[in-house]
Structure formats: C-alpha cells, structure tokens
C-alpha cells in the first residue's frame, strides 16, 4: 500500500471507543484527553478517561471469559493466533498509517513498529511447545513427578506512546496464547493504533471479552493494579511511573514486570569501521526522534577514535525531521509540545554546564509545519559524568559524546551508570568484543550493532534501573510471567503391584 492510499479516514471530533464487556462502545466518561497530530497540533480524536465503573466492568468481563478460555486447548488457541497474525500482515500498512498520524513517526518507522509487534504474535503461535511441562519417572519407588504450566487469570498491560503497536503486541498476544485474558490500557496520547489491533484480534475469531480496552491516565492505571481480580501487570514507560507501578503492584501481591528508562552507550574503538560507526550512531541517536528506550544517547570514543566525532557531526547535520508522509524526512516530531520543551531545556542545560554543543537543533523549523513539535539533531562533546545531559534520559534526538583512554575505562563508565537497558561496541577486535560482552553490566549487548533488541524467541532483558521485576517481556520469560507451574507427585496402586510389593517384603 502506498503512503498516499494508506491514510485512514478519521473523524477528528470522535471520542475513541473502549472495549468493555462484549464489544466496542463509547465510554460514559465526562472527561476526555485530546489526541493531536504532533506535526501540526490538529486534534484528530479524543481519549476518554474511562469511569471506575467501566474499569470494574472490564475486569469482571475478563474474569468471566477466563474461566472458559483457560479450558480451550493450546493448539486451538494457537490456530486462532495464526489467523490474527495473517490479518495483521494484511493490514500492516493501514495500521502503520494510523500510527504515523497520531505519533508523528515517519511511515517507514511506523511500519517497523507494526512489524516488530507482528514478530511477537508469530512467536505466540508456537505456544503449545512453550507450555510443555517436565516429567521425572520413579523419583521414588513407584512415584512420578511432573509439572503443568497453567494460566494466571486476568492480566493487565500499560503501554507507552512511543510504540503503540509493538508494545501492546509484546503483551496481550502472549498472555492470551497462554490461556489468560487481558485488560489493555494504552497511552492516552495515541490510542487509535491499539484499538485497531484489538479490532483485528476479534476479527480473527477470538471469543469476545478476552481482551478489554480502557483509556485514561494514572487513576485508571491505579484502579487496574489494585483491583482484586487482576493477577499480572506489564508496564513500559518512564522510571518514576515504572517505580510507582512496581511498588503499587507488589504491595497488592501482583506479579509485575516494569520496563523503564535508559541511558544507552555505544563504545567506539580506534579499529572500528568509520563509515559503519557514523551510520550507526546517527540512526540510533536521532531515529524515531530519539523517542525509544533503546536509542543510543551516549557515545564513548576510546583513544584515537575521538577523531570520528567530526564525521558524526557532519552526518547528523544533513538529517532533517518532517511530516510522516514526507519521504525525505529522517524522523518525525516529538510526541507533544511538553516533550519538545523538556528536550530544549536539556539542550540549554548542557550548554550552561559547560558541554560543547557541536550541533544545535533547538531552533529547528519544518516548512509548512510551524506548529510542529520538531527538534533538530543535536550533538554535544566534552561531556562529563556529572552533567545533567549525561545523568538523565533526554528521550529526544540528542547525542552526547565522551572520551576514554582505554576500553577498561569505557566499561567502568558504563557499569557505574544506574541504567542497564542496552549497550554496544564497535570494533574489529574479537578480543575486545569478548571482554566487553563478558564484563559489561547491561542486559542487552550489541557487537557492531547499535540497537541490540532481540528477536521474540529470546526476551527483552534490561537490567538495573531499566527494569523492575523478575521475568522479562516476550520469549520464554514471557511464558513464565503469564503462567504458573503446578508440580504433581503421583503414585498409583493396583492389585498386581500390591502383590509384587508383598512378595518383595516377604523375600527380605
């Protein structure tokens, strides 16, 4: 589908539906949040602040559906999931167009967002094999022990604005495939994409009420977390909210996984391929407007590699943001005026604290879009670890650079950082790469790869302050997160066995 034909027909005045207790409908909420196009501030829809009665109704409907869905054989669940992934592929570009409109992402970036979610749905189709238990025969005389993998119940997903297709599909397809039901609370800043995902979910043939969708903010999130009938909470977002969700969830005895903030580093060794380094640094720092938790925001140049900084500056300078349907745009706007203002504040803070601003995107303007939330590529040098632009996540197209004398020094800098989401090293030395992957205290490591997000048969494994919980998203760890293990120890008696046992005793 071309970009010209992919644009959906959206009534800008419409309030986005909720899915509660049997179907999509308008919320009874009296308050709404405007959903705006970040490129021009036009209001394209409204997200309702779902009422507490509707939240309770959604959880109750999901709980009732769970009692039936848990009995459906895993192969049958997988077959419907296969239909769902086919529908997602058939509607891939349409979903991407909706996503691009409400997030401001370029169309290519929006397509990638959708596709990475589809990959997790494909993995969910393999659920029968992933839910097999273990068996040990004759753990004692005539006694066998085996385990069963069983679903939890009603699970909850709280998803962010920056990946409104991928992150929901990290969550509810895996939970549903395992036999659970789900309540999705997407970001109120881009709720239309998640709604479309759930529309296709039911079009695939899933029974009603397996996935409920409510919209809102902190009040709705807290109501879901504290509800007595919800069992597991999945969250992706900022560190403060992640800490709140984790503490509130664990206080209420919920199983919780919270993927939070990051400060991702790339180490550049002197023997690294210069062209690859420049391309990787530019794409991973300003791509998606820097609004991704795996973006590279710190480049650590080791030794003579510092000479590459000017090449990075020159390459960043030619990248221009623009509207989602502009083929020449390198990336889109920030999600909101508030996000833009926050990023501009960090840029000014960097200057005030003594960093050298080699490229300043503060006054970025895009022709025809004077009200867009655009920030141009920004590059800092001479950054130290005590500076705000190093210590805090900026979540924008801003790259800070540092110098290290040795690889050991670079590793120490990264290990001292409180975040541990992603990291990468660019080098031609196998020895340096092996030392780095062994000693670095970060959960996801790239070697000559800038953004090492694992495919769905692995898991997304952030460490330290980038993650709160025990089991990570998708892959095998998601199966463990969305299920419980029941261990059975069994002994059976029959007449022949009793006779044989008596004869053994008599012989002794």
């Amino acid at each position: 589908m071309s970009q010209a034909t992919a644009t959906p027909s959206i009534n800008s005045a419409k309030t986005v539906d909720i899915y509660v207790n049997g179907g999509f409908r308008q919320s009874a909420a009296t308050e709404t949040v405007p959903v705006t196009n970040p490129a021009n501030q036009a209001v394209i829809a409204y997200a309702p602040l779902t009422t507490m009665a509707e939240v309770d109704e959604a959880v109750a409907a999901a709980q009732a559906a769970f009692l039936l869905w848990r009995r459906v054989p895993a192969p049958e669940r997988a077959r419907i999931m296969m239909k769902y992934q086919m529908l997602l592929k058939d509607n891939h570009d349409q979903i991407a167009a909706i996503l691009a409109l409400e997030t401001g992402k370029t169309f290519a970036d929006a397509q990638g967002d959708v596709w990475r979610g589809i990959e997790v749905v494909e993995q969910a189709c393999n659920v029968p094999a992933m839910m097999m238990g273990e068996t040990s025969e004759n753990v004692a005389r005539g006694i066998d022990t085996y385990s069963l993998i069983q679903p939890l119940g009603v699970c909850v997903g709280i998803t962010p604005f920056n990946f409104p297709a991928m992150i929901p599909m990290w969550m509810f397809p895996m939970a549903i495939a395992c036999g659970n039901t789900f309540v999705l609370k997407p970001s109120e800043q881009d709720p239309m994409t998640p709604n479309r995902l759930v529309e296709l979910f039911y079009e695939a043939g899933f029974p009603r009420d397996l996935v409920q969708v409510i919209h809102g903010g902190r009040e709705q999130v807290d109501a879901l977390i504290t509800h007595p009938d919800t069992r597991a909470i999945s969250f992706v977002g900022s560190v403060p909210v992640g800490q709140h969700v984790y503490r509130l969830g664990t206080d209420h005895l919920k199983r919780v996984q919270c993927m939070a903030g990051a400060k991702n580093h790339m180490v550049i060794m002197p023997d690294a391929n210069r062209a690859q380094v420049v391309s990787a640094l530019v794409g991973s720092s300003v791509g998606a407007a820097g609004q991704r938790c795996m973006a590279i925001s710190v480049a650590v140049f080791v030794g003579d590699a510092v000479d590459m900084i000017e090449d990075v500056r020159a390459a960043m300078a030619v990248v221009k943001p623009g509207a989602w349907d502009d083929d020449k745009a390198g990336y889109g706007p920030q999600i909101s005026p508030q996000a833009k203002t926050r990023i501009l504040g960090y840029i000014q803070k960097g200057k005030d604290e003594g960093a050298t601003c080699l490229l300043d995107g503060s006054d970025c303007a895009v022709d025809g879009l004077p009200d867009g939330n655009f920030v141009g590529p920004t590059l800092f040098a001479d950054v130290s670890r005590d500076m705000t632009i190093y210590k805090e996540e900026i979540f924008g197209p801003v790259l800070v650079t540092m110098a290290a004398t040795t690889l050991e020094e670079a590793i120490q800098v990264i290990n001292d950082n409180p975040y541990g989401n992603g990291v990468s090293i660019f080098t031609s030395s196998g020895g340096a790469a092996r030392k780095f992957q062994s000693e670095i205290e970060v959960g996801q490591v790239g070697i000559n790869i800038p953004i090492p997000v694992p495919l769905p048969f692995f898991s997304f494994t952030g460490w330290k302050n980038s993650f709160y919980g025990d089991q990570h998203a998708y892959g095998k760890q998601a199966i463990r997160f969305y299920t419980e293990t029941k261990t059975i120890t069994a002994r059976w008696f029959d007449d022949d066995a009793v006779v044989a046992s008596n004869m053994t005793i008599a012989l002794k």
Side-chain angles (χ1 to χ4, degrees), residues 350-382:
K351 298 173 186 176
D352 293 344
E353 292 183 353
T356 302
C357 190
L358 299 177
L359 186 65
D360 189 350
S362 299
D363 297 324
C364 177
V366 175
D367 291 342
L369 297 170
D371 298 323
N373 308 321
F374 295 102
V375 177
T378 301
L379 178 66
F380 280 100
D382 305 315

Side-chain angles (χ1 to χ4, degrees), residues 133-250:
E134 298 175 316
T135 300
S136 183
E137 186 181 28
N138 276 341
V139 295
R141 195 174 298 277
I143 297 176
D144 305 325
T145 298
Y146 50 95
S147 62
L148 305 178
I149 309 301
Q150 297 186 330
L152 290 172
V154 180
C155 303
V156 173
I158 302 156
T159 60
F161 76 84
N162 58 330
F163 286 95
M166 182 183 76
I167 301 298
M169 286 193 280
W170 278 12
M171 297 178 182
F172 76 82
M174 296 296 288
I176 295 297
C178 289
N180 303 287
T181 52
F182 204 87
V183 182
L184 176 64
K185 207 302 289 181
S187 171
E188 64 276 16
Q189 294 179 286
D190 42 20
M192 296 185 296
T193 300
N195 266 32
R196 183 60 182 144
L197 298 179
V198 176
E199 288 173 355
L200 292 172
F201 175 84
Y202 286 110
E203 189 177 329
F206 283 100
R208 74 178 198 174
D209 286 334
L210 297 189
V211 177
Q212 313 279 318
V213 184
I214 68 166
H215 300 290
R218 176 69 69 88
E219 184 180 6
Q220 287 71 23
V221 168
D222 288 356
L224 289 171
I225 295 172
T226 59
H227 197 288
D229 290 333
T230 59
R231 296 290 313 279
I233 312 296
S234 299
F235 168 85
V236 176
S238 67
V239 170
V241 182
Q243 290 173 333
H244 166 76
V245 170
Y246 183 71
R247 290 167 182 163
L248 186 62
T250 53

